[in-house]
Amino acid sequence: MSKKNRLPVVAIVGRPNVGKSTLFNRLIQTDDAIVHETPGVTRDRHYEMTDWNGRCFMLVDTGGYIPESKSVMDIAVREQAEIAIDEADLVILTVDAQSVLTVAELQIAEMLKRTGKPSLLVANKADNEKIIQSVAADTELYRLGLGDALTVSAIHGRSIGDLLDLVIERLGDDYLSSAEDIITDDTYINVAVIGKPNVGKSSFVNAIVGSQKLIVTDIPGTTRDAIDTDVEYHGKKIKLIDTAGLRRKTKIKENLEFYSTLRTAKTIQACDVALLIIDAAEGLAMQDIRVMEQARTLKKGIVLAINKWDIIEKDGKTSLHYERNLDKALAPTTYIPYVFISAKTGQRVKKALDAALKVHTERMKSVSTAKLNIFLKQAIEKNHPPAVRGKDIRINYLTQIKARPPVFAFFSNFPELIPANYRQYLEKQLRESYGFEGVPLSLTFRKKNKDRHEKN
C-alpha cells in the first residue's frame, strides 16, 4: 500500500519508566493504558488511532516487558525499538527530563539515525519551569544527535499541543488524513487473514490454495514476509493478505506479539474484509477483540474463524456452549458471523471464505431512499425518539449517502439531542430489515434541510 493510501504510523520509543505510556495516553486522550511506577510494566494496549487538526494517524506505544535481569531488559528494549522503528513513519524518542542519558537511549538514537526516518526527541517529565530550564542548559541530550529536545509533561499536559503540531509537520502531506479515505484494490476482493501468532493463518491460506505456498511450522512467526495470494473462487478474484511474522529472531515472546499487532493494524487498512482466525482451545482473547475493534473503526467487513476445531473434545453440546460464550464476548458486535474450521484437515475452510464473500457483498449494499423512508416511518411508529431537554425530537428523512462502507444520514430538527440508545435502536432496526451481516455501519445525524422538509 502506497504512502498516499494509508494512515501514517507514529511510534513512541525509549527505555522503561520514561513515561511512554503516560505520553501515549495523553496523545490519544484516554487512560486505557496501564501506568505504573515499575519499569517496563505490561500495559493494556499497544496502538490506537488518533487525530490532530483533521489529520489521523496510528500511535504506537512500545515497551511492556517486565525484565528479570539487566541483560534481558537490554534485549527487550533493543528489540522493541528495532521493531517500532522498522514499522513507523515517524519515531518519537522519549527520554526522562529528570534523569541522565543511558546506554539504551544512545543505542536507540543510533538505530534511528541509520534508518534516516523522521524523528522527534521529547524530554518528558518536565513538570515545572526549573526542569525545563535545566534541560535547555544541558548539552548532554545533543549526544543523541537528534537535534533540540521538546520538553513536555505528559502527566500535566504541558506542551502536548506543540508536540502534536510537530508530529503533523514532520509527517508532511504524503499520507491520508482519514481512515475513511483508504481505497482498496477494486480488481480483487481483498481479504486480510489476521490473528495472533501460531493460530493457523498460513495453514488456512494453504488449505484454500491447496499447496504449501507459505512456511508452516509449530514455531510462532514463521511467515517471513507478508504474502498476497491471488485465488479465483466461484468466478471472483480474491486477494488473501497474510500478515507477516517476525523477520528477525527474538527471545522475547511479547515482542513477537507486539510485531504481530503492528503488522495486523497495517494489513487491516488494505482489506475489504478482515478474516480473524482464533485458536479454538485458547478462545477469544483480549488482543483478538482489539483487532476486531480496529477493523470496526476502519469500517471493514469482519468474519471470525475458530480454527483447530478438530482437536477439541466434543459432546452433543460443545458447539452450543462455545457459541453462547462467543455471543457474550461479542455482545456489542453481534452482527459478526463466525465459522468453526480446521485449517489442518480443510474442514469448513471454504465456508469461512464463503462468509467473507457474503460480508463483502453486504458491505457494498445500497438501499434506496424510498425504502429507507418507509423503514424510518415504521421504526419511529414502533419506538418514537424521546423528548430531550423539553424538545420534541423529529427525524424527518433518511438516505444512504455511501456504500463500501455503508453510511446513512438521518435528518432531524435536533440531531445533537438524539440519545445514544436511540441511535443504537435505529442501527438494530436497520440490520433487522436489511441485513449487513459482518459490516460496521456509520450512522450520521444532521440538521434537516428546511427547504426540503419544512412541511414534515
Side-chain angles (χ1 to χ4, degrees):
M1 196 163 38
S2 68
K3 277 187 178 182
K4 290 188 177 295
N5 196 35
R6 65 175 176 85
L7 299 178
V9 176
V10 178
I12 303 173
V13 301
R15 64 176 175 83
N17 212 30
V18 295
K20 297 188 300 296
S21 293
T22 306
L23 181 61
F24 177 83
N25 287 341
R26 179 65 69 174
L27 291 174
I28 65 172
Q29 300 180 14
T30 184
D31 294 324
D32 282 348
I34 299 169
V35 180
H36 196 275
E37 289 300 319
T38 305
V41 69
T42 303
R43 287 168 310 283
D44 183 54
R45 64 176 59 193
H46 281 304
Y47 63 88
E48 185 70 73
M49 281 195 299
T50 188
D51 65 273
W52 181 251
N53 287 341
R55 293 285 302 278
C56 190
F57 60 91
M58 185 177 298
L59 187 67
V60 179
D61 182 21
T62 60
Y65 180 73
I66 302 176
E68 295 178 358
S69 71
K70 185 176 180 181
S71 61
V72 174
M73 179 177 67
D74 288 343
I75 292 170
V77 170
R78 182 170 67 252
E79 283 187 354
Q80 281 214 352
E82 288 174 355
I83 293 168
I85 290 170
D86 283 347
E87 297 299 314
D89 301 294
L90 173 68
V91 181
I92 301 174
L93 174 53
T94 307
V95 300
D96 188 336
Q98 302 180 35
S99 300
V100 296
L101 288 181
T102 66
V103 172
E105 288 158 338
L106 290 167
Q107 289 178 346
I108 294 171
E110 285 303 312
M111 286 189 289
L112 251 178
K113 286 183 288 186
R114 283 197 299 269
T115 67
K117 289 190 175 183
S119 62
L120 289 170
L121 177 59
V122 171
N124 190 28
K125 302 187 182 180
D127 300 335
N128 56 55
E129 197 62 36
K130 183 179 178 180
I131 299 173
I132 293 172
Q133 291 176 3
S134 68
V135 172
D138 188 1
T139 59
E140 182 78 359
L141 289 177
Y142 287 105
R143 292 176 58 197
L144 297 173
L146 299 177
D148 293 332
L150 175 66
T151 52
V152 307
S153 173
I155 197 166
H156 297 301
R158 184 192 294 265
S159 298
I160 295 300
D162 293 338
L163 173 56
L164 285 164
D165 285 341
L166 282 173
V167 166
I168 299 304
E169 179 184 314
R170 294 289 173 89
L171 287 172
D173 298 322
D174 288 337
Y175 303 92
L176 296 179
S177 296
S178 167
E180 294 181 357
D181 297 329
I182 296 171
I183 301 173
T184 55
D185 184 356
D186 283 336
T187 309
Y188 297 89
I189 300 171
N190 301 280
V191 179
V193 183
I194 59 178
K196 296 191 301 182
N198 211 32
V199 295
K201 299 187 295 294
S202 297
S203 297
F204 174 84
V205 175
N206 288 338
I208 293 293
V209 301
S211 66
Q212 288 289 310
K213 179 178 171 60
L214 307 178
I215 303 169
V216 180
T217 74
D218 290 331
I219 303 171
T222 50
T223 306
R224 298 305 179 198
D225 292 289
I227 301 174
D228 293 350
T229 304
D230 297 341
V231 297
E232 190 161 325
Y233 183 68
H234 293 332
K236 296 180 180 179
K237 292 182 178 180
I238 303 169
K239 187 182 293 293
L240 298 173
I241 311 168
D242 185 32
T243 47
L246 196 58
R247 295 178 185 174
R248 63 174 66 80
K249 292 179 181 179
T250 176
K251 298 178 182 179
I252 312 299
K253 180 181 178 182
E254 183 172 307
N255 283 351
L256 177 63
E257 294 177 354
F258 170 70
Y259 180 89
S260 175
T261 60
L262 280 184
R263 296 312 301 264
T264 296
K266 284 186 171 183
T267 301
I268 291 172
Q269 293 187 43
C271 78
D272 299 301
V273 179
L275 197 158
L276 174 64
I277 298 180
I278 68 171
D279 187 317
E282 295 179 2
L284 194 66
M286 186 58 67
Q287 184 175 331
D288 300 316
I289 293 173
R290 291 188 194 116
V291 166
M292 285 192 285
E293 177 62 19
Q294 174 97 31
R296 190 197 66 78
T297 300
L298 290 169
K299 306 302 180 184
K300 306 295 185 178
I302 309 168
V303 174
L304 179 62
I306 300 95
N307 191 26
K308 306 183 184 180
W309 191 244
D310 55 309
I311 63 174
I312 298 295
E313 291 187 13
K314 305 177 185 69
D315 57 31
K317 297 182 179 179
T318 303
S319 178
L320 180 62
H321 288 320
Y322 208 101
E323 289 179 9
R324 285 176 178 172
N325 289 333
L326 275 179
D327 288 341
K328 289 179 182 177
L330 297 173
T333 51
T334 52
Y335 57 84
I336 296 175
Y338 46 84
V339 184
F340 296 96
I341 69 168
S342 170
K344 185 177 181 179
T345 67
Q347 183 183 25
R348 287 190 289 274
V349 163
K350 289 188 177 180
K351 284 192 175 182
L353 194 58
D354 289 336
L357 294 181
K358 181 181 178 182
V359 167
H360 178 260
T361 299
E362 291 290 290
R363 189 169 178 262
M364 299 180 69
K365 181 188 293 183
S366 292
V367 183
S368 72
T369 299
K371 288 182 178 179
L372 285 174
N373 281 282
I374 293 173
F375 154 82
L376 178 63
K377 182 179 179 182
Q378 293 172 343
I380 292 174
E381 287 175 351
K382 188 187 300 184
N383 182 13
H384 195 279
V388 178
R389 299 177 194 168
K391 306 288 187 181
D392 182 26
I393 297 174
R394 296 188 303 276
I395 303 175
N396 308 87
Y397 186 73
L398 169 61
T399 187
Q400 184 175 355
I401 58 177
K402 184 182 177 183
R404 196 187 178 190
V407 181
F408 297 89
F410 292 79
F411 292 84
S412 170
N413 56 341
F414 296 108
E416 73 283 358
L417 296 183
I418 298 175
N421 61 350
Y422 195 78
R423 296 179 185 219
Q424 292 164 1
Y425 162 76
L426 291 173
E427 178 175 343
K428 183 179 179 181
Q429 293 299 305
L430 268 174
R431 292 188 183 280
E432 288 181 1
S433 297
Y434 300 109
F436 294 108
E437 184 181 32
V439 181
L441 301 181
S442 294
L443 275 58
T444 67
F445 294 83
R446 305 178 179 182
K447 191 74 173 175
K448 71 174 184 178
N449 185 318
K450 290 185 178 181
D451 293 334
R452 189 172 189 175
H453 307 297
E454 188 62 47
K455 293 182 181 180
N456 296 329

